[in-house]
Every structure is written in structure tokens, then in C-alpha cells.
């Protein structure tokens, strides 16, 4: 008889064992119910509203980029239309700015000169003036050298270093069909290509020109009693351009200026406006804002707040699935039926993983769509993600529960005692997760915890990636994990696999 | 596969305690073999070694010539009842048998057959946690029979059975042996095996003390002792001693004669006209035989204990 056939029988036997203990089945259903109810409960309690002066209004939603994600698209734009192919060449001779400092006396503004690391100024080709439209830009930055970026989420590094009169940067952006090429030079003679990108479906007529923008300066402080306090203070960036030249069918020297995406104060005046001055061949552009992904808002995984409760329940059932046999001596019957002990335990692991996966999947399939709908109805903005990402979060949630269940089962087989195994599983999975995400630890320590412990698997729930070309509070407490989603899950799975292997080795060696 | 169990010089220690000290015996098909010894003699450990649950330090235990751990679908080869309490209390009797059946590729139909066979039809769908020890024993028997195996191993199956249950179990064991199966039944009470086992393996302190048929064991222990009541005990003693018997006085008119069968005693007394009122051939019970053997084992142990102390 083939080994595979044998294993199928063991799977069937273990499944029969599971489904014939009503308490376990009910507890699994309760785990799913806990995930759903806690998620819906927290979604119902989460309200958002915005005020326009004394009036409460629906919060404005950020524009969507060409790839469907929420984006910031706010900058000062000096531009003209370009029909067909063409290019723009400039020399950037300075980048300066100002950063607001924390108030010492309330109401008294203090500012200091300086630019933030991701302040940006350079040349851009944009598919129309609509916020969120496709673009490609070649720029100098506050502290990250020359970059070529396009469509909000793509970034290529060029020559590092800042700019000055003595050490200027030449930038050239060339459009050819829907292909854009960025070239840079230190002297205007020897050029090197930074990047070539394709903007699918780019209109025949695009806007081409100069821009400047500067994101707020993020300052995150660790709270005295855990938690963190974030402040994002106003900054602006000013760049000097000269040697401006255009090629192609443009309107020549007729530059238009727009403060793209500027917010308006209640009185209708622009809030923190940008500026443009021209003195002969020198263009000075000042801008506030960012051309980057927008990450303010609720993420779809915020509906999965029930994961902790679900995980605890699943861990208990998985541990009992094996320790109940030790407690009653039933393990001997199991091993009589399957003297190849490794297979017996592996079959148990497959069954508990499958049961948990289905439970988690059912719960997530309900709570993620329904929860986000409730959040939206309560005025919250849900950061849009691709269908693939949503599927990954839902399936990954189920897979995380399944991996935790296998780990718990293996611990149960190792310890042979329920209480010890449950305590160990919680200490391995939940404690590091709680320590990492409640800001009781410094960010660095928290990141190591969710890199090295089985809690790394929670990364699978992160729907909004960390953008390396954007300053942010990328801490586990803010929902950002240092490992990529599947990488994090792989860490948890590796723990489960190692624990299961150890349990199998011990089970083989020990007398039953 | 031959329906046999062969245990060859199995040794097993738990820490500093010697559990099995060269255990060797063979269980043949077609009869019930009793496996008897005081608590702690190593009966259960031997069974666990045979069933691959405990690993022997040395020696081998084979079923039909193969180690248990090498058997595919082992329950089709060996049915075992080790611990009737090894049940998930909230699982019904039928479901307990069902998962076992699934593990061996057997059907639910077979489960219902063994439930009827073990007399559990009325309670099959009740939770096993509520079962009396007797019902659990029956459920354990049903599990052992599930794969219709040629070899059956039962550890203390009479425990917790009421008198009806004991009668049922005895008949049942006889029936299984009659079908040509090898049946090994352990007990710490020899009396339970009376009229059931054809062969006994008596163990003490981890090794075999006696491995013999029940008939021979009884004959050996009974010897040829005869109890004689006579109004002339001295005369009787003289006559019988002349014929080669050993005679001991029990009281004023009662003698114990050994070395001569009862018929010969009667013939001799008749020939010499010695009056007697009663001649009783002594029949040992299995219990006595066992007590005799285990007493010896205790003495033997006491001796070896001194030797090792030296």
C-alpha cells in the first residue's frame, strides 16, 4: 500500500477525531465569531468627521493615482502644454527652505532655515492638471540626491549630494511617445541617464515644467507611558533654476503657474501658498506639499482587531487537540493505529491547520468587507488597495492563524501538558506582538521583535507598504512591519515547522 | 502472517529500575495464553514493547515475525486493549471506533458490527465519558476486534467487569481462540484465567518464572498428594511408607500421603486391611499453583538480592 494512501487515512482519522468533539467545533466557531464581532464592533465605534469652520462636512478624500492608490499631489507648478514629443532642460543652482519649529510661546511662530530630506524640486511631465494624474519627474531632493520618480510609487536614485551654485545639477526630462527619460549632468556636457519609464496611455498633450514641493517635518516622540506622539510641522522648499530650455511644440516663453492641490483656509484664501518669481533667466519656485503616496486613513486590516482573541482561542484548541490525548492516554491508541509516529503527528498538524485556515478565512471574508463598509459609512477614509492585496490580507490572516495553530499543536506535543503549551504559545506569538505594537518599546526593539519572533507573521496583514522614498513613522505600532508580508509569515511558518519537527523527533524517541 | 507473538530476551530499564530482565516467551495461535504475575512484574511493559509503544533496550518482540512498528494497517494484524480509560470523554463510543476505523481504511459498517459484537448497541451514541469501567472494557474489546486481527492482546480485561461480564469475557476469549487467533491476556489474578487460558506465562520481576500449559502446571503443583483419614494411622503410615510414599501426620486421624496416586493408596490399604474412612486426591487450583510459583520467585529474588549486595 502506498504511503500517500496511508497518510490520507490518517488525515481522515484525525479529521474524524476533531469533528466528533463538539466542544472543539463550537470553540472554533466562537473563534470566528469573536474575530467578526470584535472587528465590526470596533468599526462601528470608529467615526471621522471634518469641520469647515463651524460646519461639519464629509472629510475630503485624497486623489487616486494611476495605479489606484491614494496619493498626495500637492506642489507648485510652473508649466506649459507640450504637444507630442519634446524635452525640458534646466540647471538647479540652489535648494533652500524653512522649517517651522515647535512653539516656545503659544501662538508665536518660530521658523528655521533648512530643507527636509524629501523636499523635492525639478522638472516634471504630467498628464494634465488633475490631481492624481500620471507623471514622471526628475528632481533634486533635500538629502537624497537626484531622483527620478513616476506615478507616486516608483523611485530611482541618481547622483547623491545636494546642490549649490558651485555644485549645480543639470536635469533633462525627455518625452518620446509614452516613454520618459531622465538625464542628469554636473556640467551640462556629460550626461548620464537616471531612468527611463513608460507612462501607459499618456495623452498627446501633457503639461511640462518646473516644480517644487516639501512635505511636513515629521517628529515622533515616545510617550512617557508608552504610545507615541507624532507632529508634522510645516515646511517649504525653494529652488533656483536657470538655463531653462524647452524643445518640442510648446507655448514658448508663456509660463503658467498653479499651486496644485493647495488647501484653502475657511476664508477661502490659500493656506501655506507656494510662489514663483522670475528674474531674467532665473526661475525661483517655492512649494509646499508632496508628490507621493497618501497613507493617512484607515487601512483594511484595521477591521481585523479580533485577531488577538481569535488567535488565543485557536491556540487553545490546537493545544488541546494533542494534549487531551496525552491526558487520557489516548495517544497510545493513536500510535497503535499509526506506529509511524511522525506521520501521525503530521496528520494532526495538517488537520488543525486546515480547520483553522477555513475558520480564519470565513471570519476574514466577512469582517473585512463588512467592516470596511461600516468604517466608510462612519465617515472614515479607507486607503484603497488592489484586489490582490485585499485577497492577500484575508488569506494571509487565515494562514497566520493556521501557522499559529500548528506551532501551538507542536508545543502541545512537546510539553504534553495543556497549560504549559498554551502559555508557551502565547509567550511566543502574542506577547512579542503586544510588546511591539503597543509602543512600550523603542521602535528599533519593536522591529526586531516582529522580525525574529513568531509574531513576524502579523506582517501579512499590512496592506499599505512602507515607502522608502517617503518620511513616515514606520513602526510596528503604526502597522508597519520590517519584513515583507510573505516574509513575515514565512518566519512564523518556520517556527511552526521547527517546533513540529522537534515534536516529531521527541515523539519518535520517547516511550509512549 | 503467522498468528504468533515472540518475545526474545527483552530488557528494559526505566532509569535505575529494571522493568524487563530478559523476558522471553512465545504465544501460539488457537489458544488463550494467560500472562500472569504480581503488579509491577512487567506485564504491561512487555505488552507496550510488543506493541511498539515502548522501545526495548535489547532483545526483540515480534508479531508474526515482524516488529509492530513495521506493520502497515497494524490494527488488521493486532488488536490490543491496554487501558480502557484511554478515551476522549466527550466523544461517543461509535465515533471513537469510527476514527480508529478510518485510520485503517475500514468502513463505518465494520464499526457497527463490532459494536454489536461487544454488546454496546444501546450505548454506542452516548459519550464515552459516562461509561462504567465495564462498558469501557467492552468498548476497548470492540476496538481490538475492529480490524479482525489474528493476534489479540488484552491487558487486564476482567478489571471492572461484573460477574456477568466476567462470564461473557471468558466465553468471548474462548471463542476468539477457537477461531485460531493467538490471544494474550494479562491478569494479576490467576483465578480469572481459570477455565479460560490453556497456557500460562507466569512472570515476576521482569522475567518468566513459568511458561507451561495449565494442565501441566496444575499437575506439578498438585503432585500426588492424597489426604487419608484412618482410625489406624500408624499402621497406614507403615504400609504406605513401605510402598515408597512419604507420609506426614496432620492430626490424630489424618495423614497426608505424597508419592503415590490415590488409587494405589486405596489398593494398598485394602490389601493390608487397614481401615480408612476417606481418601481424597488433592487437586490444586490455578491460584495455588500461582501462589506457589510466585512464592518461589520471591525467595529466589531474596537470594539474588543478597548476592548482589555482596
Amino acid at each position: 500500500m502506498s504511503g500517500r494512501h496511508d497518510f490520507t487515512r490518517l488525515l481522515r482519522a484525525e479529521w474524524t477525531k476533531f469533528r466528533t468533539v463538539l466542544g472543539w467545533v463550537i470553540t472554533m466557531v466562537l473563534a470566528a465569531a469573536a474575530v467578526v464581532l470584535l472587528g465590526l464592533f470596533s468599526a462601528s465605534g470608529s467615526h471621522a468627521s471634518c469641520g469647515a469652520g463651524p460646519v461639519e462636512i464629509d472629510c475630503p478624500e485624497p486623489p487616486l493615482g494611476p495605479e489606484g492608490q491614494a496619493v498626495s499631489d500637492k506642489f507648485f507648478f510652473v508649466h506649459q502644454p507640450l504637444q507630442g514629443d519634446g524635452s525640458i532642460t534646466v540647471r538647479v543652482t540652489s535648494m533652500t527652505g524653512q522649517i517651522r519649529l515647535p512653539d516656545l510661546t503659544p501662538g508665536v511662530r518660530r521658523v528655521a532655515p533648512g530643507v527636509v530630506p524629501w523636499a523635492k524640486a525639478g522638472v516634471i511631465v504630467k498628464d494634465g492638471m488633475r490631481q492624481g494624474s500620471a507623471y514622471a519627474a526628475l528632481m533634486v531632493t533635500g538629502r537624497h540626491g537626484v531622483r527620478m520618480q513616476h506615478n507616486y510609487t516608483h523611485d530611482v536614485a541618481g547622483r547623491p549630494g545636494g546642490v549649490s551654485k558651485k555644485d549645480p545639477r543639470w536635469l533633462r526630462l525627455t518625452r518620446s511617445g509614452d516613454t520618459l527619460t531622465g538625464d542628469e549632468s554636473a556640467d551640462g556636457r556629460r550626461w548620464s541617464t537616471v531612468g527611463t519609464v513608460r507612462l501607459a496611455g499618456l495623452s498627446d498633450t501633457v503639461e511640462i515644467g518646473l516644480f517644487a514641493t516639501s512635505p511636513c517635518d515629521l517628529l515622533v516622540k515616545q510617550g512617557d507611558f508608552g504610545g507615541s506622539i507624532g507632529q508634522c510641522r510645516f515646511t517649504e522648499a525653494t529652488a533656483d533654476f536657470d538655463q531653462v530650455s524647452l524643445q518640442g511644440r510648446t507655448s514658448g516663453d508663456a509660463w503658467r503657474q498653479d499651486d496644485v492641490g493647495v488647501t484653502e483656509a475657511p476664508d477661502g484664501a490659500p493656506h501655506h501658498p507656494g510662489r514663483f518669481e522670475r528674474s531674467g533667466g532665473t526661475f525661483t519656485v517655492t512649494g509646499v506639499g508632496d508628490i507621493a503616496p497618501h497613507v493617512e486613513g484607515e487601512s483594511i486590516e484595521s477591521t481585523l482587531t479580533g485577531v488577538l482573541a481569535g488567535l488565543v482561542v485557536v491556540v487553545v484548541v490546537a493545544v488541546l487537540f494533542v494534549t487531551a490525548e496525552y491526558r487520557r492516554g489516548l495517544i497510545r491508541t493513536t500510535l497503535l493505529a499509526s506506529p509511524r509516529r511522525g506521520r501521525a503527528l503530521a496528520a494532526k498538524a495538517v488537520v488543525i491547520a486546515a480547520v483553522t485556515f477555513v475558520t480564519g478565512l470565513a471570519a476574514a471574508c466577512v469582517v473585512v468587507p463588512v467592516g470596511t463598509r461600516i468604517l466608510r459609512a462612519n465617515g472614515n477614509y479607507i486607503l484603497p488597495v488592489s484586489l490582490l492585496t485585499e485577497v492577500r490580507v484575508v488569506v494571509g490572516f487565515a494562514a497566520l492563524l493556521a501557522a499559529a495553530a500548528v506551532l501551538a499543536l507542536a508545543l502541545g506535543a512537546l510539553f504534553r501538558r495543556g497549560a504549559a503549551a498554551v502559555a508557551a504559545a502565547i509567550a511566543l506569538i502574542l506577547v512579542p506582538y503586544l510588546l511591539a505594537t503597543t509602543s512600550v518599546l523603542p521602535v528599533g526593539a519593536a522591529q526586531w521583535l516582529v522580525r525574529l519572533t513568531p509574531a513576524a507573521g502579523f506582517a501579512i496583514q499590512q496592506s499599505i507598504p512602507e515607502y522608502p522614498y517617503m518620511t513616515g513613522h514606520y513602526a510596528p505600532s503604526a502597522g508597519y512591519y520590517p519584513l515583507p508580508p510573505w516574509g513575515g509569515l514565512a518566519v512564523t511558518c518556520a517556527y511552526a515547522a521547527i517546533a513540529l519537527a522537534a515534536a516529531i523527533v521527541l515523539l519518535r524517541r520517547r516511550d509512549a | 502472517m503467522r498468528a504468533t507473538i515472540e518475545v526474545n530476551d527483552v530488557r528494559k530499564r526505566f532509569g535505575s529500575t529494571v522493568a524487563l530482565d530478559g523476558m522471553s516467551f512465545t504465544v501460539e495461535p488457537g489458544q488463550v495464553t494467560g500472562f500472569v504475575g504480581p503488579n509491577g512484574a512487567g506485564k504491561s511493559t512487555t505488552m507496550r514493547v510488543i506493541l511498539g509503544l515502548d522501545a526495548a533496550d535489547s532483545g526483540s518482540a515480534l508479531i508474526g515475525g515482524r516488529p509492530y512498528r513495521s506493520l502497515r494497517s497494524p490494527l488488521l494484524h493486532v488488536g490490543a486493549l491496554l487501558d480502557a480509560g484511554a478515551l476522549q470523554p466527550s466523544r461517543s463510543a461509535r465515533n471513537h471506533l469510527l476514527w480508529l476505523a478510518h485510520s485503517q481504511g475500514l468502513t463505518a459498517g465494520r464499526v457497527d458490527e463490532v459494536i454489536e459484537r461487544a454488546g454496546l448497541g444501546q450505548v454506542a451514541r452516548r459519550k464515552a465519558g459516562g461509561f462504567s469501567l465495564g462498558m469501557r472494557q467492552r468498548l476497548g474489546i470492540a476496538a481490538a476486534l475492529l480490524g479482525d486481527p489474528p493476534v489479540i492482546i488484552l491487558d487486564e480485561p476482567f478489571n471492572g467487569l461484573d460477574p456477568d461480564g466476567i462470564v461473557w469475557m471468558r466465553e468471548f476469549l474462548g471463542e476468539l481462540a477457537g477461531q485460531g487467533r493467538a490471544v494474550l491476556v494479562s491478569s494479576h489474578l490467576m483465578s480469572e484465567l481459570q477455565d479460560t487460558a490453556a497456557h500460562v506465562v507466569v512472570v515476576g520481576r521482569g522475567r518468566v518464572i513459568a511458561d507451561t500449559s495449565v494442565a501441566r502446571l496444575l499437575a506439578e503443583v498438585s503432585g500426588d498428594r492424597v489426604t487419608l483419614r484412618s482410625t489406624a494411622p500408624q499402621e497406614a503410615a507403615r504400609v504406605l511408607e513401605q510402598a515408597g510414599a512419604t507420609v506426614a501426620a496432620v492430626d490424630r486421624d489424618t495423614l497426608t500421603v505424597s508419592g503415590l496416586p490415590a488409587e494405589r493408596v486405596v489398593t494398598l490399604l485394602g490389601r493390608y486391611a487397614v481401615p480408612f474412612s476417606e481418601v481424597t486426591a488433592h487437586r490444586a487450583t490455578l491460584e495455588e499453583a500461582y501462589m506457589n510459583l510466585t512464592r518461589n520467585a520471591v525467595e529466589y529474588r531474596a537470594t539474588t538480592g543478597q548476592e548482589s549486595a555482596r
Side-chain angles (χ1 to χ4, degrees), chain B residues 224-240:
Chain B
D224 287 323
R225 274 190 298 149
V226 173
T227 305
L228 170 68
R229 271 174 187 277
S230 171
T231 49
Q234 278 138 3
E235 213 179 332
R238 190 165 42 78
V239 167
L240 295 173

Side-chain angles (χ1 to χ4, degrees), chain A residues 22 36 38 46 154 165 179 196 205 217 281 317-318 350 393 451 490 497:
Chain A
L22 187 62
V36 170
L38 286 171
S46 181
H154 303 274
K165 276 222 162 54
T179 301
T196 302
T205 301
D217 186 27
V317 174
V350 170
V393 168
R451 257 190 209 113

Side-chain angles (χ1 to χ4, degrees), chain A residues 6 9-10 333-340, chain B residues 1 51 63 67-80 103-104 144 147 149-151:
Chain A
D6 276 5
R9 288 173 174 181
L10 290 181
T333 313
T334 299
L335 298 180
L336 284 183
S338 170
R340 289 196 285 177
Chain B
M1 191 180 98
L51 294 167
I63 287 172
Y68 189 90
R69 289 200 192 190
S70 75
L71 298 175
R72 296 282 171 274
S73 302
L75 302 193
L76 307 189
H77 300 283
V78 191
S103 75
Q104 309 295 305
V151 175

Side-chain angles (χ1 to χ4, degrees), chain A residues 312-334:
Chain A
V312 169
V313 177
V314 159
V315 157
V316 169
V317 174
V319 164
L320 282 181
F321 191 42
V322 64
T323 57
E325 292 202 12
Y326 276 106
R327 183 155 169 232
R328 314 278 175 190
L330 193 59
I331 186 74
R332 294 203 189 94
T333 313
T334 299

